[in-house]
Amino acid sequence: MSARMIAVLVLLAICSQALASDPSPLQDFCVAIKDTETPVFVNGKFCKNPNYTTADDFFFSGLDKPGDTSNPVGSKVTPVNVMQLPGLNTLGISLVRIDYAPYGLNPPHTHPRATEVLVVLEGTLYVGFVTSNPENRLFTKVLNKGDVFVFPEGLIHFQFNVGHTNAVAFAGLSSQNPGTITIANAVFGSKPPIKDDVLAKAFQVDKKVIDYLQAQFWMDNN
C-alpha cells in the first residue's frame, strides 16, 4: 500500500471520528434490561473568547425562589438553559424549576430536542406521556417527594398537582435549548390562526367549537 493511500485512510478515520455522535432515537424508547440473551438492540451560539471567560459565565442564581403560579394553568416553569446560562453552550444539558399551585397543571407539551428527567421536591404530581402513532399509549404515575420520572424526547407529556398544597419539581433536559411546544397553544393559539375548517375536520367537531377555542387566551407558563 502506497504512502499516499495510507495517508488517505488515516484522514478518513480521523474524519469519521470527528463526525461521530449519538444517533437520533429511531423509536419512542428502548427500555434497558439485564438479560443479555433476549434484548432488542437498536442501533447555536457564537463562542466567547476563552481569555475573557469568567466563573460568572457558568453561574446562575435564583432557583431557590418560587415561580408565580397565579395564572390560568396554575404553574410556572423557570428555565436555566443556554439563554440564561451561557456556559451551557455546546454542553447538551439544561435545567428547569417547576412550581405548581394546588391543582396546578403543566399542560400537555413536548420538547422537540430533549429527553426530560423530573424529580419531585415537594407535593404530589400525576404525570404521564403518550407514545407516537399508531399506539398512542398513555404511561402515567403518581409521584411523591423524592420520586423520579422520565419523559422520552419529543413525546407529549404533562404534570398535574393532585395535592391540596403547592408542589415543586426540578427537571434536567438533554439539550442546551430543548424547546417547548405546548399543544393547546400551538393548535389553537397560533399566529396567524390555523383555519377553523382544518381544525374542525381534524378534531371532528363543529367549527363553532374551534372558533370558541381560538378566541381564548392561551397561557404560556414558561
Side-chain angles (χ1 to χ4, degrees):
M1 186 180 294
S2 68
R4 186 172 184 178
M5 181 61 70
I6 293 174
V8 170
L9 292 175
V10 170
L11 180 60
L12 288 174
I14 293 173
C15 290
S16 66
Q17 290 297 317
L19 296 174
S21 63
D22 292 336
S24 297
L26 300 178
Q27 56 196 44
D28 291 338
F29 47 73
C30 181
V31 178
I33 60 173
K34 294 183 179 179
D35 181 3
T36 58
E37 297 298 321
T38 59
V40 177
F41 181 77
V42 179
N43 191 34
K45 298 283 184 180
F46 287 106
C47 296
K48 185 177 184 179
N49 187 327
N51 294 329
Y52 303 141
T53 300
T54 70
D56 285 340
D57 293 320
F58 304 95
F59 174 78
F60 178 89
S61 179
L63 285 188
D64 60 318
K65 299 177 176 62
D68 183 4
T69 59
S70 59
N71 56 63
V73 295
S75 70
K76 178 63 178 178
V77 178
T78 304
V80 184
N81 57 44
V82 71
M83 302 303 294
Q84 292 80 32
L85 184 53
L88 288 174
N89 191 38
T90 75
L91 298 184
I93 194 169
S94 59
L95 178 73
V96 297
R97 170 180 173 143
I98 314 171
D99 290 276
Y100 312 82
Y103 308 109
L105 172 69
N106 192 12
H109 62 281
T110 73
H111 301 295
R113 295 179 290 276
T115 291
E116 175 181 347
V117 56
L118 177 139
V119 58
V120 178
L121 272 65
E122 297 290 343
T124 301
L125 298 178
Y126 170 68
V127 307
F129 67 85
V130 180
T131 67
S132 57
N133 299 349
E135 290 85 4
N136 299 130
R137 290 181 64 192
L138 173 64
F139 290 83
T140 64
K141 196 77 174 174
V142 174
L143 306 182
N144 295 296
K145 183 177 180 179
D147 291 342
V148 176
F149 199 79
V150 174
F151 305 105
E153 179 176 342
L155 298 188
I156 295 174
H157 60 283
F158 60 87
Q159 304 106 35
F160 179 58
N161 182 5
V162 294
H164 301 289
T165 61
N166 293 336
V168 182
F170 277 70
L173 298 110
S174 61
S175 170
Q176 67 178 41
N177 183 24
T180 301
I181 302 172
T182 305
I183 306 307
N185 299 38
V187 173
F188 299 113
S190 66
K191 300 178 181 59
I194 301 172
K195 287 185 175 295
D196 56 4
D197 290 323
V198 173
L199 296 180
K201 187 76 170 181
F203 288 95
Q204 296 293 289
V205 296
D206 190 274
K207 286 200 295 184
K208 291 181 179 179
V209 175
I210 301 300
D211 293 340
Y212 170 79
L213 290 172
Q214 289 183 320
Q216 304 307 303
F217 172 73
W218 293 100
M219 172 69 195
D220 181 10
N221 66 334
N222 286 271

